[in-house]
Amino acid sequence: MKEIELPILPISVIGSYPKPKWLREAIRARAEGKIDEAHMEEAYNDAVSSVVREQELLGVDIPSDGEMRREEMVEYFAERIEGFKFFGKVRVWGNNYFRKPGIVGPLKWRGPMTVEEFKFLRSVSTSPAVKVPITGPYTIADWSYIIYYKSKEEATFEIAKIINRELKALEEAGANFVQVDEPALTTHPEEMEWAVEAINEAVRGLNIKVGLHVCYSDYRILKPYYDKLKVSQFALEFANRGFSDLEVIRGLNVELGFGVVDVHNRFVESPEAVEAAILKVLNYVKPECLYINPDCGLKLLPRKIAREKLRSIKIGTERVRKKLNEKGIIKTYLKSEVNCS
Amino acid sequence: MKLAIEFSGSFPRDEAVSNLHSLRKSGDIDERTFLEKIIAKELKLVGSLDSLGFSLFTDGMLWADDILNPVASLSGAEAGGLVRFFDNNFFVRAPIVKKEISFIEGNALEAYAKFLKAFPEERRAKLKAPIPGPVTLVHFSQNSHYSSHAELLNAWGKKFLIPLVEKLKSMGFSSFEVHEPSIVSKAISQELKEEGGKLLGEIFDSFSGNRFLLMTYFSASLVDAKHLSYAIRENSILGIDLFTPSGWRLVKSLSEKWASRIYLGSLNSRSPIPERSSKLRGWVERAEELGFSEVFMGNNAPMDFVPPRWAMGKLRKLSRSVLSKKR
């Protein structure tokens, strides 16, 4: 993979971004049959153009398409992989739901699920690198009812094969940074061994940058697997937990995507708070191995709040960059293999 | 053997209930209107349960986000960040304990009070008030005030739960449901579990005329039998999750030494697939063989993990399967 030059402490997002109000209205109209597929596609493209531009203007170095075409991270893939059936909405926290799928038949890859998303994102972004998030095999299995397969393990490895085909299709299309989202990874500590194997199966044979996002989890359970997971970045959530327990990232030999704003709280963190958090984590991670991002996807926030949070990230990060620049630390590189030991 | 069916904890929110929460959050309806509308939904739910033959039930907790959610408004603890509720894709806000815990008459009492008032007086004995257990409160607390888990446990039990139960009792509740999954969790030390069991026993002793269902779920081990035995009283019933590998072994062990009554968590709240009638009936027979004098069958845990339609389907199946057996 060709290395891409980035400013030190590159700012990225985890993936999702609040959908514009008009897009939500268009999705509703489409469901009611009031607009056709072509108009819907145009609306999605316009929304992606808009939120990508917004991220770039707010200082995001590696934008995503905001997952404008996705309703929910498991739903999106369950709708496109053969073998799933939806049972209905299940609550995740507060008043937030997802449509819970069940695996009721043999799983099959029907064809690329995210390649067109990537191509459009690439065509509208002016940034040298963009990120494509994709839900990992373990989380898709864990958040589904397992009915057809004898075990969750068997289902997870079937999904891993499908995700691997998808990631290879993305690589072939020119993607250079994919992020496997595995928020469920540490949920069942006794399943970690094979869950890690399944993730490695999903990313096997890739020559592009692969990140792993794990959030709202017990990172002490993840820690023993830092070196076993074949990824070059861990994007972890820390603002939600008040930046406590940073000790858990000691021993991480790849990059850290550091969550500096809470995405489930409308309180906007100040640039000073972001700066302080970054300075704190720099006691554990080399600046060349540190990326800055929100804790998780921003989609549940009002768009205005999401913007303000990104603005705080930009100002806070710039302040630290300035200090690093004075020491001659100016840039870093996006690459598939890193050594951060 | 006396056999009854019982609904415990929360019933999943349907879209209409979810919309009410959204309207309250956005300020489009006030708290009073929200509670009035929620209670109308709860009355409909318990009406269904009543007609299905459930002898005891909660209000379905449609007004609360989760079992820990009312704690912040009633204890002075702050609502913290989201934390996973055991091994589920379900998150709760951890109580942040920065000062002395004390019971305060917060907003959440309104929901209990208004529901009670709306429910026909002659059937109030069927209602249970769900509350979290002390070990679970310690497990989920982010504590920076108390110097040890033992102190924190004692504070949650004596400074919060006892006055809360007293208050709920004065409002008209006579049955309580203590959600205590942490007392069987592998994440909790044996020492804390033992202290927790003893504290629960003390709490139950303080209210000898009232019924307490001690709900445990998501885990079970024979090691826990001793801790749980401390909480067995004339007025308490243990709830065991039969969908954990050692669920039945624990039930058997309790029957041999300590318990004559049992609540069997017989509906798997984490799967939409209805349990087979033959399986449910078989469990009743097994409990009878173990010599229990009273058996209550119900959901193993809060039902938020399956969509409402499937949850109701399971409850109906339990009614059909078990009550026909009773006849």
Side-chain angles (χ1 to χ4, degrees), chain B residues 39-111:
Chain B
I39 283 161
K41 301 274 179 200
E42 290 182 338
L43 287 171
K44 198 175 161 195
L45 169 70
V46 298
S48 302
L49 295 171
D50 205 7
S51 63
L52 285 171
F54 282 79
S55 59
L56 282 152
F57 36 75
T58 68
D59 60 0
M61 295 185 68
L62 300 182
W63 56 277
D65 282 348
D66 52 74
I67 189 69
L68 294 176
N69 172 256
V71 171
S73 99
L74 296 174
S75 72
E78 288 172 29
L82 291 172
V83 290
R84 195 180 292 280
F85 190 63
F86 299 93
D87 55 352
N88 302 293
N89 180 28
F90 188 80
F91 296 80
V92 298
R93 289 203 180 272
I96 301 181
V97 181
K98 288 182 179 168
K99 58 178 185 180
E100 196 84 9
I101 289 164
S102 63
F103 171 69
I104 52 174
E105 297 204 3
N107 291 341
L109 285 179
E110 278 291 294

Side-chain angles (χ1 to χ4, degrees), chain A residues 87-95 97-98 100 143 145 147 183-184 187-188 215-217 240 264 266, chain B residues 13-15 18 21-22 25 65 81-82 84 87-91 93 270-273 304-307 310:
Chain A
F87 281 79
K89 284 185 169 181
V90 171
R91 209 151 55 90
V92 181
W93 60 274
N95 213 21
Y97 291 78
F98 83 116
K100 187 155 179 169
W143 291 4
Y145 301 120
I147 296 162
T187 313
H188 306 270
C215 55
Y216 307 100
S217 301
N240 174 62
H264 293 136
R266 294 183 183 199
Chain B
R13 284 181 194 171
D14 63 18
E15 293 214 33
S18 165
H21 280 270
S22 296
K25 196 176 173 193
D65 282 348
L82 291 172
R84 195 180 292 280
D87 55 352
N88 302 293
N89 180 28
F90 188 80
F91 296 80
R93 289 203 180 272
R270 302 198 278 190
S271 166
I273 307 301
D304 298 286
F305 318 108
V306 288
W310 296 89

Side-chain angles (χ1 to χ4, degrees), chain A residues 304-316:
Chain A
K304 182 171 175 280
I305 304 282
R307 272 192 216 117
E308 287 174 24
K309 288 194 180 238
L310 284 181
R311 193 171 286 123
S312 274
I313 291 181
K314 170 68 173 172
I315 300 170

Side-chain angles (χ1 to χ4, degrees), chain A residues 257-270:
Chain A
F258 183 51
V260 291
V261 294
D262 185 353
V263 301
H264 293 136
N265 192 327
R266 294 183 183 199
F267 169 79
V268 178
E269 295 80 353
S270 67

